[in-house]
């Protein structure tokens, strides 16, 4: 069939889970370790953890995917501060921050990591084989 939705849904779910694993590994999609927390941030943690972006797991759990018009899939977070955590921010630009926030990317850039690409291609290949 020409319906891409099942493959796109599986791709979305797979990449959601792959992105969530980055929080446990505290690294970006390309294997670079996230910057450590500042002492100020560590002192403010509710759980006593010193792992970046792992205090409440709200951000990690917010990662979702949506199939759009049966043609593409988007994956990300709808949480207001997700972009700040992914790209970082300077206190000079965002006065409400208690300090500069280093980028801790969990969203891949335009080039997927090769292992992620392999997973996506494998899903597509399987769906094509099942359709024939």
């Amino acid at each position: 069939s020409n319906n891409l939705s099942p493959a796109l849904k599986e791709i979305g779910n797979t990449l959601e889970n792959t992105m969530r694993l980055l929080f446990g590994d505290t690294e970006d999609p390309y294997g670079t370790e996230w910057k450590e927390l500042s002492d100020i941030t560590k002192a403010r943690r509710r759980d006593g953890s010193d792992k970046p972006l792992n205090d409440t797991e709200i951000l990690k759990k917010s990662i979702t995917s949506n199939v759009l018009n049966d043609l593409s899939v988007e994956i990300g977070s709808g949480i207001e501060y997700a972009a700040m955590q992914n790209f970082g921010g300077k206190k000079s630009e965002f006065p409400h921050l208690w300090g500069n926030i280093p980028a801790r990317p969990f969203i891949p850039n335009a080039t997927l990591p090769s292992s992620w690409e392999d997973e996506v291609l494998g899903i597509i290949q399987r769906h094509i084989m099942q359709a024939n």
Side-chain angles (χ1 to χ4, degrees), residues 78-90:
I79 288 191
E80 187 181 336
Y81 56 84
M84 178 73 74
Q85 298 298 343
N86 189 78
F87 299 109
K90 297 198 179 321

Side-chain angles (χ1 to χ4, degrees), residues 88-110:
K90 297 198 179 321
K91 184 168 175 52
S92 58
E93 296 172 50
F94 303 94
H96 66 285
L97 298 176
W98 63 76
N100 294 338
I101 294 180
R104 294 187 177 102
F106 53 92
I107 300 169
N109 60 36

Side-chain angles (χ1 to χ4, degrees), residues 116-128:
W116 297 26
E117 201 174 274
D118 291 346
E119 253 183 298
V120 169
L121 293 173
I123 292 167
I124 292 168
Q125 188 173 25
R126 195 172 65 256
H127 279 268
I128 289 170

Side-chain angles (χ1 to χ4, degrees), residues 29-114:
Y30 308 93
T32 301
E33 194 75 20
W34 285 341
K35 296 256 185 293
E36 288 191 22
L37 295 175
S38 70
D39 290 338
I40 295 169
T41 301
K42 286 179 191 173
R44 297 175 67 123
R45 295 308 281 280
R46 287 176 281 275
D47 70 350
S49 164
D50 60 0
K51 287 175 85 169
L53 306 187
N54 277 273
D55 192 17
T56 63
E57 295 198 344
I58 291 170
L59 184 57
K60 175 177 145 179
K61 290 176 180 172
S62 76
I63 296 171
T64 55
S65 60
N66 295 306
V67 173
L68 307 173
N69 302 322
D70 298 333
L71 295 173
S72 64
V73 61
E74 65 178 3
I75 303 148
S77 168
I79 288 191
E80 187 181 336
Y81 56 84
M84 178 73 74
Q85 298 298 343
N86 189 78
F87 299 109
K90 297 198 179 321
K91 184 168 175 52
S92 58
E93 296 172 50
F94 303 94
H96 66 285
L97 298 176
W98 63 76
N100 294 338
I101 294 180
R104 294 187 177 102
F106 53 92
I107 300 169
N109 60 36
T111 306
L112 283 182
S114 58

Side-chain angles (χ1 to χ4, degrees), residues 6-21 63 65 73 75 115-116 118-123 126-127:
L8 293 171
K9 186 170 177 49
E10 186 177 343
I11 289 167
N13 289 338
T14 298
L15 294 184
E16 271 178 47
N17 290 329
T18 303
M19 285 171 67
R20 286 191 191 113
L21 290 173
I63 296 171
S65 60
V73 61
I75 303 148
S115 62
W116 297 26
D118 291 346
E119 253 183 298
V120 169
L121 293 173
I123 292 167
R126 195 172 65 256
H127 279 268

